[in-house]
């Protein structure tokens, strides 16, 4: 298990990560003075809204999931805590690199997870409809503006610093500082307590229309192995394990594993959503068309073409089969990639190009 370390005051000031108070006693005073969060309406599901599986007995009704931004530069590997996520989103950010957003149904049980990095607006648009508590350290101006516009309270290490995040000084001996920040369930709770006005329960929406009574096999053809590239420097590949019924993920030509337990990431469902990915007016940050598009659903060693829609920042992603009926998704963990239309030519299934 990775150890968590406290960063020195000097480095905190240099990184701009000190949260407006310079001592634990100041944090304690702020915490004790924090207002009580306003209760939010909740709805009750007897299953985990992220996986469709039976809900844990100790998971409170209406408890909001947590979405943690994860560094995915190859230099940042291995990452910690990602195998415990119920769903992982991946998209390109700048310069062809990708970032992950790992989503957990119960933030109180999140193990040591990281390295934690900054948010981008496409991830904010994915987290908001889930009513997820967004956990990150800083963000692009577009992500910050979006959070401010919607008054969406988050757990941001840029302001909270070591009240909710910790620095791995041992890792920093070989890696730069931005690859060394971590958090966990208890630290996230500390940040929530300090903020005071962040509700931990609310209205929830299931991630998919889950097929909870029987297993679904996509009708488009077999898919024992498939791969695609987000860019010239970031790829993803998946191999079906018949014994477990899950897809094992690899990236950068090696298994994608969790340093907490050495487990390779495994998913019951993989969805690849295709859309136009361009650049914003600054010529640097990626711009995503999140209105609607086509995509592919992989599960049980098979796949099929699907259609997805979002049509609005606060709207949940919805999925339909080619015949227009609602896509039924198997229960279990999921991986969702948003892939640029210009990268569709890199997409292969069982060694055959999917398009072009």
């Amino acid at each position: 298990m990775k150890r968590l370390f406290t960063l020195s005051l000097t480095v905190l000031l240099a990184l701009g990560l000190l949260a407006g108070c310079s001592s634990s006693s100041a944090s304690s005073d702020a915490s004790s003075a924090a207002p009580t969060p306003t209760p939010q309406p909740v709805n009750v599901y007897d299953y985990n809204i992220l996986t469709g599986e039976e809900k844990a007995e100790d998971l409170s009704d209406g408890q909001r999931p947590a979405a943690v931004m994860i560094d995915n530069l190859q230099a940042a590997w291995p990452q910690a805590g990602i195998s415990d996520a119920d769903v992982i989103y991946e998209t390109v950010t700048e310069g062809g690199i990708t970032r992950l957003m790992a989503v957990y149904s119960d933030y109180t049980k999140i193990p040591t997870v990281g390295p934690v990095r900054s948010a981008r607006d496409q991830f904010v648009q994915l987290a908001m409809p889930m009513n997820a508590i967004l956990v990150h350290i800083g963000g692009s101006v577009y992500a910050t503006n979006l959070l401010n516009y919607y008054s969406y309270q988050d757990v941001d290490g840029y302001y909270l610093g070591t009240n909710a995040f910790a620095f791995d000084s041992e890792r920093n001996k070989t890696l730069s500082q931005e690859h060394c920040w971590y958090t966990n369930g208890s630290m996230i709770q500390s940040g929530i307590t300090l903020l005071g006005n962040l509700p931990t329960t609310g209205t929830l929406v299931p991630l998919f229309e889950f097929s909870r009574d029987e297993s679904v096999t996509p009708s488009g053809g077999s898919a024992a192995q498939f791969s695609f590239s987000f860019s010239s420097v970031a790829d993803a590949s998946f191999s079906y394990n018949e014994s477990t019924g899950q897809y094992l993920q690899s990236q950068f030509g090696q298994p994608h594993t969790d340093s907490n337990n050495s487990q390779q990431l495994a998913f019951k469902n993989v969805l690849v959503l295709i859309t136009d990915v361009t650049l914003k007016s600054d010529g640097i940050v990626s711009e995503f068309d999140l209105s609607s598009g086509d995509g592919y659903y992989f599960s049980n060693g098979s796949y099929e073409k699907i259609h997805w829609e979002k049509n609005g920042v606060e709207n949940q992603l919805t999925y339909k089969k080619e015949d227009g009926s609602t896509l039924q998704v198997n229960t279990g963990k999921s991986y969702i990639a948003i892939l640029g239309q210009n990268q569709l030519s890199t997409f292969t299934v069982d060694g055959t190009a999917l398009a072009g």
Side-chain angles (χ1 to χ4, degrees), residues 215-218 223 240 245-247 268-269 297-302 330:
S215 183
V216 171
T217 298
Y240 186 63
Q246 295 185 317
Y247 280 102
K268 184 63 179 179
N269 308 297
Y297 170 51
F298 296 82
S299 191
N300 285 341
S302 297
N330 286 311

Side-chain angles (χ1 to χ4, degrees), residues 12 67 84 87 150 184 227 282 307 327 333:
L12 275 171
D84 287 282
V87 59
Y150 286 95
N184 58 34
S227 63
D282 62 7
H307 183 77
L327 178 70
K333 295 185 177 184

